[in-house]
Amino acid sequence: MPSAPLFDLRVTHDYYADLRCGDFAIVPDAVTESAMARLRLTHKSYADRIRVFAELDAKGDVIAAAAAPLSLAFALQPRGSGYAAITRLSELAQQPAPLFTNDGVAPADSSLLRLTTRRATARENLVVSTPGGAEPFVLAGTPLDGTKPADVTVVGAGAVKSVIPASKRVTIDTSAVPAGTAFQISYPVRAAMSRGALVEIALTLNAQLLTPMPAPRAFVIPLNSADARWAYYVVTDFSGDLSTLGIVDATPGNGPRAISVSGAGRIELTAATVGLDPVGADLLRRYPGQRVVRLISDATIPTRDAPLGALELRLNNAALLTRLPNPPLDRLVLLQTDAAAPRQTVRYQVLSLLTN
């Protein structure tokens, strides 16, 4: 039977200049795999995407269209651990069970999927022991953090008065039912993720989305780069004034600079000023009698596959070192720059300006 490409399910990542991300496999779950076989849908895997094909009947119509609306579920599985160093995972971690979906997204030839969470509900039966306006119970499951009484449903007893997710405790108005009465309670819990999945994907395909186009539609899972401030530690035996020492992005033209270091980000480290800086403290121990200057970027810098190639170390606007190496992805330090500032993770590099 003839077939036609129906849609691409693609991963993009702004770490890569072309946005193509081959760090993940897109895998249908067991239910979807069975449904696709039944509805004559197949898929082909590429480095950064899968393409789904639909078998056509004798009239040239998609066989699966008769099942619209059709729900398909996939898992985004890392092919290795390298993604963790380049990906902003905080956005995913905010979701109990992160899920990308086209639900609520306007149909288009290319659609960015929306990040949300897959929801799950626990149900259990409880028995009234001591009827009262706020009888305490301990749940078998753990409600989601932030669960409120309004999020909990009770059938066979009164209203929920309080919920403490961490201790699994609830209080319920059981004053109107006798001791020994069984009732049911339902509450939100963390949904179980597919094994090995970083996130899950849920697509709902109506008749329009099950109609082939001249070029296949694309559903896009957009991932963003991790970012961090950069720190350069300069070890030197120079005895002169270092108050103008700085890092400069010397890229030609008048475009925005990738990095800037103001006076607030420059400090000469000593036993008195090193504070909670393990890298600075280690350099002071390893280079006794030398000077160590720490230069921290004013803003965070996103990770990119292509390095910043025009960085210079300057003093009085004269270049001392050019084409500075970028801080490696795995060279991280947790810094507290002063007692009032929160700790932050910083990528760092060490530069040597020693004459001997």
Side-chain angles (χ1 to χ4, degrees):
M1 295 289 287
S3 63
L6 194 57
F7 65 84
D8 287 351
L9 183 56
R10 182 189 306 272
V11 184
T12 63
H13 200 310
D14 59 7
Y15 173 77
Y16 300 102
D18 62 3
L19 300 181
R20 295 182 180 179
C21 176
D23 297 323
F24 302 92
I26 302 172
V27 181
D29 70 12
V31 173
T32 292
E33 201 163 29
S34 176
M36 289 177 67
R38 185 177 70 255
L39 297 171
R40 309 292 182 86
L41 298 174
T42 58
H43 75 277
K44 184 176 181 179
S45 296
Y46 299 86
D48 63 331
R49 71 191 193 280
I50 64 170
R51 174 164 290 182
V52 173
F53 296 83
E55 192 169 307
L56 308 178
D57 63 18
K59 297 179 180 179
D61 297 326
V62 172
I63 294 173
L70 177 63
S71 296
L72 302 178
F74 303 84
L76 192 66
Q77 297 180 347
R79 291 191 167 114
S81 59
Y83 77 94
I86 64 173
T87 306
R88 190 187 305 161
L89 297 175
S90 58
E91 297 171 345
L92 304 180
Q94 290 172 6
Q95 308 295 336
L99 176 78
F100 281 98
T101 180
N102 69 328
D103 184 29
V105 176
D109 291 343
S110 181
S111 298
L112 291 179
L113 298 183
R114 179 174 63 91
L115 177 61
T116 181
T117 186
R118 191 157 61 81
R119 303 188 182 279
T121 301
R123 293 178 176 84
E124 59 183 278
N125 293 320
L126 301 175
V127 178
V128 176
S129 175
T130 308
E135 183 178 357
F137 296 88
V138 178
L139 299 171
T142 303
L144 278 180
D145 289 344
T147 298
K148 303 180 292 297
D151 302 323
V152 182
T153 300
V154 174
V155 177
V160 176
K161 296 299 183 180
S162 66
V163 184
I164 306 175
S167 62
K168 306 183 182 182
R169 295 182 180 274
V170 296
T171 59
I172 298 171
D173 182 0
T174 59
S175 59
V177 292
T181 300
F183 63 94
Q184 187 180 79
I185 184 171
S186 304
Y187 51 92
V189 294
R190 183 180 294 273
M193 295 282 290
S194 302
R195 185 174 181 178
L198 176 67
V199 302
E200 294 177 331
I201 304 141
L203 299 180
T204 301
L205 306 178
N206 58 22
Q208 177 187 354
L209 296 177
L210 287 168
T211 302
M213 301 288 289
R217 293 181 177 85
F219 295 108
V220 178
I221 304 153
L223 299 180
N224 297 314
S225 293
D227 57 3
R229 294 173 75 183
W230 286 11
Y232 280 91
Y233 293 84
V234 183
V235 181
T236 181
D237 52 11
F238 179 67
S239 60
D241 182 12
L242 292 175
S243 63
T244 62
L245 190 68
I247 305 293
V248 173
D249 179 2
T251 302
N254 298 319
R257 305 292 97 175
I259 186 172
S260 62
V261 178
S262 65
R266 180 193 307 109
I267 184 172
E268 181 166 355
L269 299 178
T270 64
T273 63
V274 70
L276 297 176
D277 182 342
V279 174
D282 180 62
L283 291 173
L284 290 173
R285 284 193 300 269
R286 288 167 52 198
Y287 298 96
Q290 310 301 337
R291 303 171 74 182
V292 177
V293 178
R294 184 184 68 204
L295 304 166
I296 299 182
S297 65
D298 296 331
T300 59
I301 298 170
T303 57
R304 290 290 186 263
D305 189 28
L308 301 179
L311 302 186
E312 297 181 355
L313 179 69
R314 292 185 180 181
L315 181 66
N316 294 326
N317 209 32
L320 303 178
L321 296 173
T322 61
R323 300 190 64 81
L324 299 181
N326 291 191
L329 290 173
D330 60 352
R331 194 168 295 173
L332 303 170
V333 60
L334 188 62
L335 283 184
Q336 185 174 18
T337 54
D338 60 67
R343 291 193 177 193
Q344 58 186 305
T345 299
V346 174
R347 285 174 58 189
Y348 72 93
Q349 181 63 271
V350 177
L351 304 175
S352 176
L353 279 179
L354 297 172
T355 57
N356 296 319

